[in-house]
Amino acid sequence: MSLMLRLAMGGAFLAAGWDKAFHPRAFAAALAAYQLVPERLVTLIATVLPFVELVCGAALVIGALTESAALVLGVLSTVFALAVGTAAARGLDIACGCFSASRGGAVDWPHVALDLVLVACAGALLRLGPGSLAVDNWLLVGKAGQGICPKESE
Amino acid sequence: MRPGLGDRLLGAAALVLLGSSLGLAAHGLRQRQLPLLVRYLPAAPRGVRYLTLLQAKQAFDSDRAAFVDARDPEAYRRAHVLGAVSMPAWEPSLGRQDLRALGRADPVIIYCDGPRCGAARKLAQRLARRGLHRLCILTQGWPGWRAAGYPAQGSARR
């Protein structure tokens, strides 16, 4: 279950981050259209956010720092849901910029629902842990609780 | 053994830091960089003139100018320049009839919420792409027009 959630959520954010990372101008325009971010921060956020998505998406897929990645992506998905929801509620007819910088349709309630599903996935991963086939299992904690980095006192 | 909240937060901070560093590194490698930490404004297309209030009023009085309100529809409904058409800058589609009417106007004066708003530039960019010429932006925007007491209409005209 955890493995499927990791692959689905990690894959979604890898795909979303990939397109936005290569089109920062289009993403900045989409971000500015929400009128929620201070104008001085628009380009900075458009520059770093796609890479945070990529790093956390990749971390989920390979199961490294799984719960931390789920935490970051859960918080991001919550923010996205609120942003898209308030934009839809305000009647803004703007590009979503959710899974692509310029394509992917306008802000609407299905996008909010999708973001909430991602929040639920993140919550489930925080509860269930990394599951099988995760780097966390091999590197951070050994089977008997002895990781590859032994405590200093040992 | 599952990581505690502190470890999760530490890991989250590390991931955000790594992602941000990669983003800034990629930014440094780009040839056409987006300027960081400056006000984001879509570039105005070439040939767009900026008008003072007085110039805009003279154009208004000439009856050949068309005014375009680039703000959101709610702001337009409350009050706008007399005779202005509403074209919210972020709306994906522009009305064909309005575009045809604007094609005959000289000049087309776009305004939004003052010199600090980007909507007028954004709309000017889109209209120029649709082949419209003689585009101007009223620098002082709606607040300047209202403060000058020039002709206006709307549900809450002030």
Side-chain angles (χ1 to χ4, degrees):
Chain A
M1 179 68 176
S2 285
L3 177 63
M4 282 175 59
L5 285 175
R6 270 173 35 217
L7 292 179
M9 191 168 179
F13 274 94
L14 276 177
W18 186 263
D19 187 79
K20 288 185 266 188
F22 282 98
H23 302 99
R25 283 173 196 278
F27 183 44
L31 198 60
Y34 280 88
Q35 300 166 44
L36 291 173
V37 177
E39 285 179 344
R40 283 186 190 281
L41 295 183
V42 166
T43 52
L44 180 66
I45 293 174
T47 299
V48 299
L49 185 61
F51 285 87
V52 173
E53 289 182 348
L54 282 175
V55 166
C56 293
L60 273 193
V61 168
I62 64 172
L65 294 176
T66 306
E67 293 167 28
S68 298
L71 187 62
V72 175
L73 295 182
V75 170
L76 281 181
S77 300
T78 307
V79 172
F80 294 162
L82 287 172
V84 177
T86 54
R90 282 180 290 159
L92 292 184
D93 196 357
I94 57 175
C96 181
C98 303
F99 294 93
S100 161
S102 53
R103 299 183 301 275
V107 289
D108 52 16
W109 295 109
H111 275 113
V112 179
L114 194 55
D115 283 327
L116 292 177
V117 168
L118 290 172
V119 174
C121 287
L125 278 172
L126 281 170
R127 194 176 170 80
L128 298 173
S132 56
L133 291 176
V135 173
D136 282 345
N137 296 337
W138 303 325
L139 289 186
L140 297 180
V141 183
K143 280 183 182 172
Q146 294 171 338
I148 57 168
C149 302
K151 289 176 185 171
E152 284 179 6
S153 59
E154 289 174 351
Chain B
M1 192 177 76
R2 300 280 299 279
L5 180 63
D7 291 336
R8 289 176 180 174
L9 289 175
L10 204 62
L15 288 170
V16 171
L17 199 65
L18 177 62
S20 303
S21 306
L22 285 175
L24 292 173
H27 171 77
L29 293 174
R30 282 193 188 103
Q31 288 186 329
R32 287 178 62 232
Q33 293 180 342
L34 269 175
L36 300 181
L37 294 174
V38 295
R39 284 183 57 231
Y40 175 80
L41 287 175
R46 268 186 207 167
V48 172
R49 283 174 56 212
Y50 287 85
L51 298 187
T52 63
L53 269 176
L54 193 61
Q55 288 171 321
K57 179 63 166 54
Q58 284 168 349
F60 178 87
D61 291 335
S62 77
D63 278 342
R64 287 185 14 236
F67 281 73
V68 182
D69 191 315
R71 302 172 301 158
D72 64 79
E74 181 54 33
Y76 174 83
R77 264 193 295 277
R78 281 198 299 272
H80 54 263
V81 172
L82 184 66
V85 294
S86 174
M87 282 192 179
W90 312 111
E91 239 172 49
S93 60
L94 300 169
R96 277 190 192 165
Q97 281 187 334
D98 288 337
L99 283 176
R100 223 172 291 143
L102 291 183
R104 291 190 289 270
D106 180 17
V108 175
I109 301 173
I110 306 165
Y111 67 89
C112 52
D113 268 321
R116 290 172 60 84
C117 71
R121 292 176 196 229
K122 170 77 180 170
L123 185 61
Q125 203 172 34
R126 297 180 66 192
L127 291 178
R129 235 181 275 140
R130 297 291 292 266
L132 260 68
H133 306 291
R134 298 179 296 274
L135 297 170
C136 299
I137 291 175
L138 172 56
T139 314
Q140 295 302 316
W142 168 248
W145 188 269
R146 182 185 59 193
Y150 291 155
Q153 65 185 129
S155 59
R157 181 157 50 93
R158 277 180 292 157

